[in-house]
Amino acid sequence: LVRDDYYKDGLAINQDLARSRRADELGIRAELAYDPASGDLALSTTGVPAGTERLTLLLVHPTLAELDLSTLASRGADGLYRARVPLLGPGNWRIQLLPEDLDWRLEGRLALPGQSQASLR
């Protein structure tokens, strides 16, 4: 079946790709560290524009949409962005990191259990 709004879906995909290209142009990168015992997340970043105090972190479960999470990560005095999430169950989680103005986007994967770090590009 073809969805009625396939054209809008295509436009949204192009917009997402443009955000990823924008992050690449700006040289933005991030490394995520996840503590599976506490749910603490820490993000070290490079290239994030000065004055960016909060970033939106999306954690998307590969098969169960009801487990998807969205949280704000705030920058601490040490320069790391931190957030706490409910403990994540097993799966190959897709991660997205976005600024509040949605100008760019980073993506990565976190395979649980077993992996506690992920590179976002």
Side-chain angles (χ1 to χ4, degrees):
L1 295 175
V2 176
R3 291 175 33 129
D4 289 338
D5 54 356
Y6 67 92
Y7 181 75
K8 289 180 185 177
D9 292 344
L11 291 176
I13 290 169
N14 285 338
Q15 186 177 27
D16 284 345
L17 292 174
R19 287 182 185 141
S20 294
R21 283 193 298 273
R22 178 75 174 141
D24 194 44
E25 291 168 3
L26 294 171
I28 300 172
R29 302 281 184 264
E31 298 295 324
L32 178 134
Y34 171 66
D35 181 348
S38 66
D40 289 336
L41 295 165
L43 291 150
S44 62
T45 59
T46 57
V48 173
T52 305
E53 296 300 318
R54 296 187 309 176
L55 297 171
T56 299
L57 185 66
L58 303 173
L59 297 154
V60 180
H61 191 275
T63 58
L64 301 172
E66 63 270 15
L67 296 180
D68 294 354
L69 299 169
S70 175
T71 189
L72 288 175
S74 300
R75 184 166 46 192
D78 59 1
L80 296 177
Y81 290 89
R82 298 184 186 277
R84 178 171 283 165
V85 295
L87 299 183
L88 302 175
N92 189 13
W93 290 82
R94 192 177 76 170
I95 303 164
Q96 291 187 5
L97 187 65
L98 304 119
E100 290 181 290
D101 65 4
L102 304 177
D103 183 47
W104 52 265
R105 175 185 74 172
L106 296 179
E107 291 187 294
R109 298 252 179 213
L110 185 66
L112 296 175
Q115 188 180 1
S116 62
Q117 296 185 349
S119 294
L120 307 179
R121 304 279 187 260

